[in-house]
Amino acid sequence: MEAQIKSLLPPSFSWSDQIHFFESIPSTNDHAKYLAAQGAPHGTIVIADHQSGGRGRMGRSFYSPCGQGLYMSILLRPQCHANSLMHLTCAAAVAVCNGIFRATNLLPEIKWTNDIVWQKKKLGGILTELSVNSQTGRLDYAIIGIGINCNQAPMNFPEEIRSIAASLSMALGHNINREALCASVILALDGVLNILTSRKDDILGQYKARCITLGKDISLLQGDSVIHAHATDIDGDGGLIVTLPDGTVKTVTSGEVSVRGMYGYIP
Ligand code: BTN
C-alpha cells in the first residue's frame, strides 16, 4: 500500500519521504503524537491498514477494520498562534471532500464540524488534535486524523452503527482504490493548507456550500443538556451560528450537534 501511495504522488512532493505505514496500529493519531514528541517534521504522515483503537471526537471509537478503510494522520507544525487556526478542521473537511471527489467523482457533504456524509449517513470523520504552548499560545503542532469508510458492505459494519454508516463503495456501487484515494486526499490537504490563512474566506465558502447542517433544526448536546436551535451560518473561525427558540443568536464552538433526520437525531 505504501509504495503505491508514493507512486501516485508527484515525484517532487516533499511529504513522500515522511510516510510511516503500519499494517496495524492502535491509532494513527496517537502514533503521530509520539512522532511529534520525537521532533518529527511538518508533513509527517502516518497511515495504517487497520487500527485496533481508532478514536473519534467526544471519546468515541472509530471502527477501523483491516483493508476496508483509509486511516491516516498528518502532523503539521504551523508557525502561528492557535487562535488563527480555529478553522483547521473545516479546512481539513473541505480537503477530504475535494480529495474524495477527485478520486471517485463523488462529492460528499459535511455535517458540522467534522463528519463526512453521504445521503445522511456517515462516510468518515476528522479528528484534529492540537498541542499549544501554554506560555505563548503558539501551536507546537497539530494532528489531522482522517478516517474514511471505503469498501465496506453494510453487513461489514457492526450492528450498532449499521443504520448510520456508509462507505464509498456503497455510494458508488463498486469498490474503490484506497491508495488512489489516499494520494488524492493528501494532495487536496496540501493544497488547502497552502492557502489556510491567505484564502480563509474561500475555504469557509467551500465548507458552507457542503455543510448540510445549515438551514436545519438541530439539537445541541452540551454536557448533559440538550438545546434546540436553528443552524444559520458558519462564522470566520468555523463556529456554527444558531438561533435559539427565544430568538437569541449564539455561536457554537464545541459540543455535539444532531441534525433532525440524520443519524441518531435526539429530539
Ligand atoms: C470522528 O468521527 O469523530 C472522527 C474520526 C477520526 C478517525 C481517524 S482514523 C485516523 C485517525 N486515527 C484515529 O484514531 N482517529 C483518526
Side-chain angles (χ1 to χ4, degrees):
M1 195 173 177
E2 181 181 3
Q4 272 189 63
I5 294 167
K6 285 185 182 174
S7 75
L8 292 163
L9 293 167
S12 59
F13 189 67
S14 59
W15 297 356
S16 294
D17 296 335
Q18 299 159 199
I19 295 179
H20 301 245
F21 178 79
F22 296 86
E23 297 291 338
S24 181
I25 199 171
S27 155
T28 56
N29 263 39
D30 290 349
H31 193 72
K33 268 189 214 171
Y34 165 78
L35 293 175
Q38 311 287 308
H42 178 84
T44 296
I45 300 176
V46 182
I47 303 170
D49 198 27
H50 166 257
Q51 293 185 121
S52 53
R55 298 187 289 109
R57 281 181 70 238
M58 320 279 292
R60 295 188 180 131
S61 61
F62 186 80
Y63 179 61
S64 311
C66 180
Q68 294 182 342
L70 175 60
Y71 321 115
M72 167 166 75
S73 301
I74 295 103
L75 167 66
L76 308 174
R77 293 197 184 272
Q79 301 296 308
C80 63
H81 202 276
N83 286 348
S84 58
L85 285 192
M86 301 296 279
H87 63 305
L88 184 60
T89 300
C90 293
V94 167
V96 169
C97 287
N98 290 344
I100 290 175
F101 180 68
R102 284 172 204 153
T104 67
N105 257 345
L106 179 101
L107 186 56
E109 295 175 305
I110 301 166
K111 175 177 171 279
W112 185 87
T113 50
N114 68 319
D115 277 357
I116 307 300
V117 168
W118 170 74
Q119 291 193 351
K120 299 182 181 173
K121 294 188 175 186
K122 180 161 171 163
L123 269 180
I126 296 160
L127 178 64
T128 306
E129 298 186 287
L130 305 179
S131 170
V132 181
N133 182 311
S134 56
Q135 308 282 307
T136 62
R138 290 181 76 81
L139 272 176
D140 179 16
Y141 63 79
I143 291 167
I144 298 178
I146 297 168
I148 303 173
N149 301 328
C150 296
N151 290 330
Q152 291 94 337
M155 291 308 288
N156 296 135
F157 289 108
E159 204 177 335
E160 61 271 21
I161 60 168
R162 200 170 292 155
S163 63
I164 59 171
S167 67
L168 289 170
S169 64
M170 287 162 61
L172 294 161
H174 58 80
N175 277 2
I176 62 127
N177 180 313
R178 289 180 304 145
E179 290 82 2
L181 175 70
C182 182
S184 183
V185 171
I186 289 172
L187 292 175
L189 200 57
D190 180 49
V192 165
L193 292 171
N194 284 333
I195 56 163
L196 192 59
T197 49
S198 60
R199 286 172 53 199
K200 188 175 170 186
D201 290 350
D202 181 3
I203 294 170
L204 288 172
Q206 288 190 54
Y207 184 88
K208 282 189 215 180
R210 311 258 161 81
C211 182
I212 44 146
T213 312
L214 297 180
K216 301 267 176 32
D217 290 333
I218 62 163
S219 282
L220 186 60
L221 311 182
Q222 287 193 320
D224 285 342
S225 54
V226 178
I227 304 168
H228 297 281
H230 188 74
T232 57
D233 207 353
I234 301 292
D235 78 2
D237 287 328
L240 183 67
I241 302 176
V242 302
T243 306
L244 302 180
D246 68 0
T248 312
V249 175
K250 164 184 163 87
T251 301
V252 180
T253 54
S254 66
E256 176 79 332
V257 163
S258 283
V259 183
R260 190 184 293 276
M262 283 206 54
Y263 44 93
Y265 175 75
I266 298 166

